Amino acid sequence: MDLKDFMEFVQTTARSVGAEISSPWFYLQFGLILAAAGIAYAAEAGVRHRVDMTSLALHWPLPLRHFARVMVSSASTAAFTLLVIISRVVMYHATWPSRSYLLMVAAKLGLAWLAIRLLTSMLRNAFIVKLVSITAWFVAALSIIGQLDTTVDLLDSFAIVLGGLRLTPLLAIKAGALLIIALWLTNIASNFAESRINSTADLTPSVQVLLVKIIRIGLLAIAIVIALGAVGIDLSALAVFSGAVGVGIGIGLQKIVANFISGIILLADKSVKPGDLVTIGDNTGRISAMKTRYISVAAGDGREFLVPNEDLVTQKVVNWTYTDKNTLVKIAFGTNYDADPRLVCKLAAETAAAHPRAQKGKPPNSILTEFAEAGMKFSLTFWIADPDGMDGVKSDVMLALWEAFKREGIRVPYPVREIRIRGGALPVETTVEVPN
């Protein structure tokens, strides 16, 4: 369609609309449509106020319950469509069919919207539902008024040629629609695969995450290739263009790509996995999730640290549960020189062994480490089965050790400073008050 054909189409449409508006039957139909819309709005308010879908459709079959829920939520559209159909039937038999054409169009538009609402109610994404609903209803409206083929030709008449690729608005719309459908199906398939993989007890958490990511990326690539091929886009025609764009994007996305590759490496070598207790820099917590770009470390106090995957590959990471969850707890303490060091070591070992989380198969050990200026220094070590709550265990043992020292009369040292005066007394300033 060239510019001349387009102008003829506009003029013909304008003449048809002008002839329709000049007819008195147009205003009658328009009034009936407005009246139907008002009645439908009032009916929807009454239906939603009186109908309780929870109790009404409790024992209905699932498809019928789903249909009833959609009809109740679209009660105004259903009532409007029904009233317009009745008006159309009455006018069709009372006068010429052409005098109720507008009612017929309104009824078909209402039926199309109800069908679209019923189909899109299976989707969960609100944005996708609105996009699909509006697009489908617009296409249905063009088909109902007989202008779909003309609009398609118009959208296909404007084109931009890039190498061997002809880009038109129609091609972009088709590609976008197919991509949305393909990505929706891909999301359903990947979610199903993820649920099956996560329910497999034979796979470790890191392998599960790795398989899910590979499946998602593979399905996404297949969906894009199929969608572009379905609309007639030759992928080889995009080679030069995509190569130039790819270089520019690659320079700007170096960190993102590095984090992505680092995430795959972490999942493959299993150095960290969901559930591990790790220390990264000054932050300690459990890995709650491993994403494409980062891992999430829950600190246990409501905070979550998002650590880029690249940092875990290039920096030092302490993994408390890498091969074994058994953790050695170390407590340093001191006593004064009046205490018996053998008794101190015995009390410390017995105190640690009495804690419920101390492992019975690995007895605690307490040793004298240093004769310091302020007193003797000791080291107490014992094993627990899991590093969770290690600080709490330390606190419990130290409190119990303090109580044991008080019972035995053992004192904890503190700095003492002695001042010795040699060669006489310190000069002291005195003041004498003279009475008035």
Side-chain angles (χ1 to χ4, degrees):
M1 176 184 293
D2 54 16
L3 183 60
K4 182 179 179 181
D5 295 335
F6 176 71
M7 294 304 299
E8 291 180 358
F9 165 73
V10 172
Q11 293 175 1
T12 303
T13 304
R15 285 194 296 268
S16 300
V17 172
E20 186 70 24
I21 293 177
S22 62
S23 172
W25 296 101
F26 170 81
Y27 297 99
L28 175 61
Q29 296 176 81
F30 189 71
L32 291 174
I33 292 174
L34 290 179
I39 296 173
Y41 179 79
E44 180 183 22
V47 169
R48 292 195 175 185
H49 179 71
R50 297 173 181 270
V51 177
D52 183 11
M53 288 301 303
T54 304
S55 58
L56 177 63
L58 182 61
H59 302 290
W60 292 7
L62 182 60
L64 186 60
R65 187 163 64 245
H66 180 72
F67 176 78
R69 187 179 297 109
V70 174
M71 289 297 102
V72 170
S73 63
S74 305
S76 60
T77 306
F80 171 79
T81 305
L82 180 61
L83 292 173
V84 172
I85 290 176
I86 294 174
S87 302
R88 157 70 176 175
V89 172
V90 172
M91 287 194 64
Y92 182 85
H93 292 284
T95 182
W96 295 100
S98 59
R99 295 175 178 176
S100 59
Y101 173 76
L102 189 60
L103 291 174
M104 180 192 66
V105 171
K108 288 184 177 180
L109 291 176
L111 289 174
W113 182 252
L114 287 176
I116 292 169
R117 283 286 295 113
L118 186 62
L119 293 175
T120 56
S121 62
M122 297 182 293
L123 302 177
R124 295 293 178 264
N125 190 301
F127 173 75
I128 297 297
V129 169
K130 291 182 180 179
L131 180 63
V132 172
S133 299
I134 294 174
T135 304
W137 188 81
F138 184 71
V139 173
L142 290 176
S143 178
I144 290 171
I145 63 178
Q147 300 297 328
L148 181 59
D149 293 336
T150 305
T151 305
V152 169
D153 294 338
L154 178 63
L155 293 175
D156 195 47
S157 61
F158 303 99
I160 299 175
V161 179
L162 296 176
L165 181 63
R166 182 175 180 270
L167 295 177
T168 64
L170 179 62
L171 183 64
I173 294 173
K174 287 182 178 179
L178 288 177
L179 278 175
I180 291 175
I181 296 174
L183 294 177
W184 176 59
L185 295 176
T186 297
N187 187 52
I188 294 176
S190 58
N191 288 338
F192 174 76
E194 181 178 2
S195 63
R196 297 299 299 271
I197 291 173
N198 291 336
S199 63
T200 304
D202 298 334
L203 300 176
T204 62
S206 58
V207 174
Q208 291 177 355
V209 176
L210 178 61
L211 290 177
V212 169
K213 290 184 182 299
I214 292 175
I215 291 174
R216 284 187 180 276
I217 294 173
L219 291 176
L220 180 62
I222 293 173
I224 293 175
V225 171
I226 293 176
L228 295 180
V231 297
I233 297 178
D234 186 8
L235 298 180
S236 61
L238 298 174
V240 177
F241 177 73
S242 61
V245 174
V247 172
I249 294 177
I251 295 175
L253 302 180
Q254 287 182 0
K255 285 293 183 181
I256 295 178
V257 174
N259 286 319
F260 176 74
I261 300 299
S262 298
I264 295 178
I265 293 174
L266 292 174
L267 293 173
D269 63 14
K270 303 178 185 179
S271 56
V272 293
K273 57 186 179 296
D276 281 352
L277 182 66
V278 296
T279 299
I280 304 171
D282 298 331
N283 303 321
T284 300
R286 283 202 175 271
I287 297 178
S288 58
M290 298 183 68
K291 303 296 184 180
T292 304
R293 189 181 60 84
Y294 62 88
I295 69 166
S296 176
V297 179
D301 56 359
R303 296 178 299 167
E304 287 199 33
F305 303 101
L306 305 182
V307 184
N309 291 329
E310 186 181 11
D311 292 350
L312 274 76
V313 175
T314 58
Q315 297 182 10
K316 179 181 177 180
V317 178
V318 178
N319 191 340
W320 295 86
T321 55
Y322 178 51
T323 56
D324 189 0
K325 290 186 176 181
N326 293 324
T327 303
L328 182 66
V329 181
K330 298 180 181 180
I331 298 177
F333 63 95
T335 65
N336 59 13
Y337 282 105
D338 296 334
D340 182 358
R342 292 182 177 84
L343 177 61
V344 172
C345 291
K346 180 182 177 182
L347 286 175
E350 291 176 351
T351 302
H355 195 277
R357 290 193 58 184
Q359 290 193 3
K360 307 306 179 183
K362 298 179 179 181
N365 185 32
S366 180
I367 60 174
L368 175 63
T369 59
E370 184 181 353
F371 292 111
E373 178 183 0
M376 295 179 291
K377 292 186 177 181
F378 297 84
S379 176
L380 171 63
T381 57
F382 60 96
W383 291 87
I384 57 177
D386 192 282
D388 271 344
M390 184 171 59
D391 291 338
V393 175
K394 278 187 178 182
S395 177
D396 293 341
V397 173
M398 293 177 72
L399 290 173
L401 191 59
W402 172 261
E403 295 173 354
F405 284 173
K406 290 183 66 177
R407 288 195 305 267
E408 299 295 332
I410 300 173
R411 293 182 299 171
V412 176
Y414 54 88
V416 176
R417 295 291 181 264
E418 294 182 0
I419 301 177
R420 296 185 180 183
I421 303 173
R422 303 177 66 181
L426 290 174
V428 178
E429 295 183 0
T430 60
T431 59
V432 178
E433 295 184 2
V434 179
N436 295 331

